[in-house]
Amino acid sequence: MNRFDYIRPDTIADAVAALAAFPGAKALAGGTNLVDLMKYDVATPARVVDINRLPLKAVEDTADGGLRVGALVTNSDLAWHPQIAKRYPLLASAILAGASGQLRNAATTGGNLLQRTRCYYFYDTSTPCNKRVPGSGCSAIGGVNRIHAILGASDSCIAVHPSDMCVALAALDAEVEVEGPQGRRIIPFAQFHRLPDHNPELDNTLEPGDLVTAIILPATDFGRHHTYLKIRDRLSYAFALVSVAAAIAIEDGIIGDIRVALGGVAHKPWRDRNAEQRLRGEPPSEATFLRFAEDVLRESEGCGQNDFKIELARRTIVRALMQATRGTPQDQSDKVVR
Amino acid sequence: MPQPSPTTMVPIVLTINGVRHELSLAPWVTLLDLLRERLGLTGTKKGCDQGQCGACTVLIDGRRVNACLVLAVARDGADITTVEGLATGDELHPLQAAFIEHDAFQCGYCTPGQICSGVGLMQEGHAHTREEIREQMSGNICRCGAYTNIADAIEDVIARQSASREAAE
């Protein structure tokens, strides 16, 4: 691990100032990703700003019926929070599908948004990687790429975003509250993470000195018609090959509001709002959902070893939408996919 | 742009297995290395050192966490329990006794982490079925494959605890 300047501010303003003073400064919350990356010398921050003393641990109601979740709320506390279990079971389910009990006890809401890809080459400092060293090349293209992107990739990077929680947040149309040198602003979830294009070193649209302070959940209630279906190489404690967060409002047997976000397939949680729009007004059925899946995946492209993910994604979308329609969300302990 | 100079030492206080420690630490020291290398508490094991195996699991303020991914200075003021702190004198923690009873280990390297994780899981109170125990213990890898007996041991202690709770009511 590199040597660094360690600062432990008590206020958000001091934390933002400490982050903004040096471009290489990193905020430390639970440490489950940053400390790991520092051990591999993938992250070598000159300054670590320990934000654990900031007042960002509350879950509170918003004026318009939603919920504001402080950035330091741990993944465990969020998943088991009575209001989350009751009003946002899709989010609770996605969180519990990720990582392990120990990691969820340390990992935070803000940190989950900012975790970095688990592309093997990003972690291996002996190989080229445009995300780690801009301009050095992409080793995954033409390399070992079984876990890589099938949507939205570029010739600079085919890495995927590893989060489960973020897939649910994308489906729920959450917002990210950010405090920066110019003050507070709100970023819609769809505009928070970005596609790699030619600068994959940027995972998101934060500016230097920005600190994620909260996630804001809208009031939307999908009742029982939701699911988080995660397909992975082993039953637990593995990143998604493909995951689907689905939520449907069904009115008089017809699809109303529908949200489908995919994990494990792109540089960000993937949603296709046009395809969702085209599904409105149709009756929910396997045939309808298969047509939707093909619509969402129309521009999908494998890079060799991950070609199987296209068919896997097609089937996972259909299965998830059938689960959501029936009102039988995937159980994250009993792993049988029904 | 000039870079900041590295911090040398940070004063912190930790309570470890009931004993208060006033420490001066470099900020890059992990809790795991502090426990093993500086305080001689080698019960907590270093396996992968990257949060994948769970051998380093300890309880921080009662909650199970991977000690390898914690910078010790970031937990200033915390109450930490390692496997050395679970027994009361010569009396083993019920889960330690159950691990022996159920032969829940072979080589034993993952055992301190498994037991701390199991204690944390029971305190969390979200595991009621065998499937839930197995799922919530998935952060602890056992290379010998003692999983069946580990799950038996935890299931047994949870059942005994809920039976004695019911008897008390």
Side-chain angles (χ1 to χ4, degrees):
Chain A
M1 206 183 299
N2 69 296
R3 302 307 182 232
F4 51 84
D5 175 40
Y6 174 79
I7 295 188
R8 196 166 49 188
D10 289 311
T11 68
I12 293 168
D14 285 351
V16 169
L19 286 166
F22 295 102
K26 291 278 182 203
L28 173 75
T32 52
N33 192 213
L34 180 60
V35 174
D36 188 31
L37 292 169
M38 288 169 71
K39 286 185 177 184
Y40 279 90
D41 288 332
V42 175
T44 55
R47 166 177 281 179
V48 171
V49 181
D50 179 350
I51 60 169
N52 285 295
R53 290 192 177 177
L54 303 186
L56 300 172
K57 292 176 183 163
V59 177
E60 51 205 354
D61 288 315
T62 59
D64 53 1
L67 219 50
R68 179 182 180 278
V69 179
L72 289 176
V73 175
T74 65
N75 290 174
S76 296
D77 283 345
L78 189 57
W80 297 108
H81 192 284
Q83 288 298 316
I84 297 293
K86 187 174 158 207
R87 292 157 63 185
Y88 305 97
L90 172 60
L91 178 57
S93 182
I95 294 170
L96 293 176
S100 67
Q102 292 97 313
L103 289 168
R104 292 192 296 265
N105 278 345
T108 63
T109 303
N112 191 303
L113 264 61
L114 300 175
Q115 65 175 309
R116 309 214 65 192
T117 186
R118 266 48 172 210
C119 172
Y120 326 114
Y121 302 103
F122 175 69
Y123 263 79
D124 180 355
T125 54
S126 69
T127 59
C129 168
N130 286 322
K131 187 179 276 300
R132 179 167 33 75
V133 181
S136 62
C138 174
S139 303
I141 297 172
V144 178
N145 53 32
R146 184 171 172 277
I147 63 171
H148 290 73
I150 53 169
L151 284 163
S154 74
D155 54 12
S156 295
C157 181
I158 57 172
V160 299
H161 195 265
S163 172
D164 292 296
M165 186 182 94
C166 289
V167 183
L169 292 174
L172 291 168
D173 276 338
E175 295 173 319
V176 185
E177 182 190 284
V178 174
E179 195 85 27
Q182 265 74 55
R184 178 177 292 192
R185 66 186 194 283
I186 302 290
I187 305 175
F189 207 79
Q191 288 161 35
F192 184 79
H193 296 105
R194 58 185 295 286
L195 291 176
D197 296 323
H198 297 296
N199 39 5
E201 70 277 13
L202 302 175
D203 291 350
N204 53 58
T205 54
L206 291 179
E207 301 285 340
D210 279 347
L211 181 70
V212 172
T213 49
I215 289 291
I216 297 163
L217 300 170
T220 329
D221 181 1
F222 287 94
R224 287 162 50 244
H225 295 293
H226 61 83
T227 194
Y228 187 70
L229 180 55
K230 176 177 180 178
I231 308 298
R232 50 195 142 175
D233 280 328
R234 57 185 187 201
L235 280 179
S236 182
Y237 200 17
F239 291 98
L241 291 167
V242 172
S243 69
V244 176
I248 321 178
I250 299 173
E251 294 142 23
D252 303 327
I254 295 295
I255 297 168
D257 191 3
I258 178 161
R259 320 272 186 84
V260 180
L262 309 186
V265 298
H267 200 257
K268 60 185 286 189
W270 188 268
R271 265 185 76 180
D272 186 332
R273 283 162 201 272
N274 293 326
E276 289 171 11
Q277 196 62 36
R278 285 192 282 274
L279 203 54
R280 285 182 178 224
E282 304 240 9
S285 73
E286 202 165 326
T288 308
F289 294 147
L290 184 58
R291 213 164 57 239
F292 170 77
E294 278 164 3
D295 195 5
V296 170
L297 295 166
R298 65 194 179 279
E299 286 174 12
S300 61
E301 208 178 334
C303 42
Q305 295 174 8
N306 69 347
D307 292 350
F308 75 99
K309 276 192 178 187
I310 298 172
E311 179 60 20
L312 184 63
R314 192 190 332 266
R315 294 181 189 201
T316 311
I317 292 169
V318 175
R319 290 294 277 271
L321 285 168
M322 290 305 289
Q323 288 184 341
T325 300
R326 288 197 306 263
T328 53
Q330 178 63 38
D331 186 316
Q332 302 301 356
S333 290
D334 167 10
K335 301 298 173 61
V336 180
V337 178
R338 295 184 170 89
Chain B
M1 184 182 274
Q3 291 295 303
S5 31
T7 305
T8 46
M9 289 291 170
V10 182
I12 64 162
V13 177
L14 293 175
T15 302
I16 301 169
N17 299 330
V19 179
R20 183 184 154 93
H21 293 263
E22 289 180 18
L23 302 157
S24 184
L25 289 179
W28 40 86
V29 174
T30 63
L31 177 59
L32 175 61
D33 287 342
L34 169 68
L35 291 170
R36 289 182 56 85
E37 308 298 331
R38 182 150 165 183
L39 301 176
L41 292 168
T42 53
T44 306
K45 299 295 185 247
K46 183 180 279 195
C48 67
D49 206 24
Q50 47 189 257
Q52 293 183 3
C53 76
C56 67
T57 304
V58 298
L59 300 166
I60 303 182
D61 296 327
R63 309 183 69 164
R64 53 187 171 144
V65 168
N66 304 91
C68 73
L69 294 181
V70 172
L71 296 183
V73 293
R75 298 295 186 144
D76 187 11
D79 193 334
I80 290 156
T81 304
T82 70
V83 72
E84 290 96 338
L86 291 176
T88 309
D90 285 340
E91 190 188 338
L92 293 179
H93 184 284
L95 189 58
Q96 290 176 307
F99 262 60
I100 294 170
E101 193 181 325
H102 289 276
D103 193 20
F105 46 84
Q106 265 188 57
C107 83
Y109 197 82
C110 73
T111 310
Q114 297 277 4
I115 291 176
C116 285
S117 187
V119 171
L121 171 146
M122 293 190 293
Q123 287 171 5
E124 287 159 15
H126 301 304
H128 309 290
T129 65
R130 190 174 179 88
E131 285 70 30
E132 286 168 350
I133 291 169
R134 285 177 57 87
E135 166 59 27
Q136 291 173 38
M137 284 296 291
S138 72
N140 292 82
I141 310 294
C142 168
R143 197 173 160 178
C144 308
Y147 297 115
T148 309
N149 295 1
I150 292 168
D152 285 347
I154 297 171
E155 204 175 3
D156 192 6
V157 177
I158 290 176
R160 274 187 263 164
Q161 282 180 346
S162 62
S164 65
R165 251 197 315 275
E166 275 166 31
E169 275 167 11

